[in-house]
Amino acid sequence: MRMKIKQSKKTSKFLILLLLLTIFSSITSTAAEQMDPLQPYKEILAEFNEEKGTCYIMITDEEELAKTNLTMQEMIDFYTSMGTGAFRDYLDNIYARNMNTPIQSKVTVTGRQLARAELYTQPYAYAPPNYFYLTSKVVTINNKAYYNSVVEAGEFHISGCYPIYDLYATPTYKVSDDSTSITVTYKYNIVEGPGISNLLAYTCDVTYFASSWLDD
């Protein structure tokens, strides 16, 4: 009879310990959620998307942030320093900027020669000082310029200057039949501010001309 009483006490102690561990785990989990300093901002962003029909997200991946020369701590410091009220105003400003500068599906530009040589880089400033670019090789025959080959097409941006058109695919291009122009297709998402990306996918076709080599 005494043996059964001892076993019952041991069982009770085990159940109490298990209950305490469960409560502690629950408290720890809740505290971890509350430790995210960006949570209030993420909630405001979600409400803003629902209200405006936008697709903005807050980037929390270190590698993605690094593409815009930003660390997680820098992003946290940027938003927490402005407060939630100012953050809503910040989103309104981003939205107004986009409404006033609609994305162009096609543009024609004349490039700027960076060096007087066969290697030729032509930028298209989508949001100065940030730009797309085409680096190619140009040849001249009878004082007429032709594209010889494409070296690289891509995007360049200055840290802290927004918006940034973040390429999500390698640019494709089409050379004209007479090799005097190249149309590059850039596919990108827009990074609107520190750590805030627009999930919408955009496409921009930029036509560059070899004749710019002679004009510069």
Side-chain angles (χ1 to χ4, degrees), residues 12 18 21 39 42 57 77-78 102 110 131 135 151 167 185 193:
S12 297
L18 182 62
L21 288 173
Q39 186 58 37
K42 293 176 182 177
I57 62 168
D77 293 342
F78 180 82
T110 299
Y131 58 85
T135 299
V151 177
L167 298 177
T185 299

Side-chain angles (χ1 to χ4, degrees), residues 1-12:
M1 189 70 177
R2 291 181 180 177
M3 193 68 175
K4 289 183 179 180
I5 292 174
K6 287 183 179 180
Q7 288 179 347
S8 177
K9 287 182 178 180
K10 288 181 178 179
T11 301
S12 297

Side-chain angles (χ1 to χ4, degrees), residues 40-100:
Y41 301 87
K42 293 176 182 177
E43 293 173 0
I44 292 173
L45 187 59
E47 294 172 359
F48 185 87
N49 283 333
E50 185 175 353
E51 176 186 331
K52 301 291 188 181
T54 50
C55 301
Y56 301 147
I57 62 168
M58 188 165 285
I59 303 170
T60 55
D61 182 88
E62 289 282 3
E63 289 186 5
E64 289 297 317
L65 285 173
K67 292 180 181 179
T68 55
N69 302 316
L70 192 70
T71 66
M72 178 63 71
Q73 190 57 53
E74 287 173 335
M75 185 177 75
I76 291 173
D77 293 342
F78 180 82
Y79 289 116
T80 55
S81 66
M82 71 168 60
T84 54
F87 179 65
R88 171 60 200 230
D89 293 338
Y90 183 75
L91 293 177
D92 286 333
N93 290 334
I94 288 175
Y95 185 76
R97 180 184 69 201
N98 287 341
M99 292 299 99
N100 292 329

Side-chain angles (χ1 to χ4, degrees), residues 111-132:
R112 175 175 60 86
Q113 183 178 332
L114 296 184
R116 188 64 65 174
E118 282 193 347
L119 193 65
Y120 186 32
T121 297
Q122 296 168 275
Y124 165 62
Y126 62 78
N130 302 336
Y131 58 85
F132 292 133

Side-chain angles (χ1 to χ4, degrees), residues 7-208:
Q7 288 179 347
S8 177
K9 287 182 178 180
K10 288 181 178 179
T11 301
S12 297
K13 289 180 179 179
F14 175 77
L15 291 174
I16 292 172
L17 179 60
L18 182 62
L19 178 61
L20 289 174
L21 288 173
T22 302
I23 294 173
F24 177 77
S25 177
S26 177
I27 293 174
T28 303
S29 177
T30 302
E33 292 178 1
Q34 293 176 344
M35 283 177 62
D36 181 2
L38 293 176
Q39 186 58 37
Y41 301 87
K42 293 176 182 177
E43 293 173 0
I44 292 173
L45 187 59
E47 294 172 359
F48 185 87
N49 283 333
E50 185 175 353
E51 176 186 331
K52 301 291 188 181
T54 50
C55 301
Y56 301 147
I57 62 168
M58 188 165 285
I59 303 170
T60 55
D61 182 88
E62 289 282 3
E63 289 186 5
E64 289 297 317
L65 285 173
K67 292 180 181 179
T68 55
N69 302 316
L70 192 70
T71 66
M72 178 63 71
Q73 190 57 53
E74 287 173 335
M75 185 177 75
I76 291 173
D77 293 342
F78 180 82
Y79 289 116
T80 55
S81 66
M82 71 168 60
T84 54
F87 179 65
R88 171 60 200 230
D89 293 338
Y90 183 75
L91 293 177
D92 286 333
N93 290 334
I94 288 175
Y95 185 76
R97 180 184 69 201
N98 287 341
M99 292 299 99
N100 292 329
T101 55
I103 301 300
Q104 298 180 1
S105 60
K106 286 197 175 186
V107 292
T108 300
V109 299
T110 299
R112 175 175 60 86
Q113 183 178 332
L114 296 184
R116 188 64 65 174
E118 282 193 347
L119 193 65
Y120 186 32
T121 297
Q122 296 168 275
Y124 165 62
Y126 62 78
N130 302 336
Y131 58 85
F132 292 133
Y133 66 87
L134 169 69
T135 299
S136 60
K137 288 188 176 181
V138 177
V139 296
T140 56
I141 301 175
N142 296 327
N143 204 35
K144 187 171 183 178
Y146 300 89
Y147 285 108
N148 177 270
S149 62
V150 172
V151 177
E152 182 184 26
E155 185 274 341
F156 176 84
H157 62 267
I158 301 296
S159 178
C161 295
Y162 298 95
I164 294 171
Y165 289 5
D166 182 27
L167 298 177
Y168 65 82
T170 301
T172 58
Y173 61 90
K174 182 178 180 180
V175 183
S176 65
D177 292 338
D178 61 0
S179 297
T180 61
S181 67
I182 294 178
T183 298
V184 182
T185 299
Y186 302 92
K187 296 181 179 181
Y188 58 95
N189 300 118
I190 301 178
V191 179
E192 305 284 3
I196 295 182
S197 179
N198 192 332
L199 285 179
L200 294 179
Y202 295 94
T203 299
C204 183
D205 294 332
V206 181
T207 300
Y208 301 92

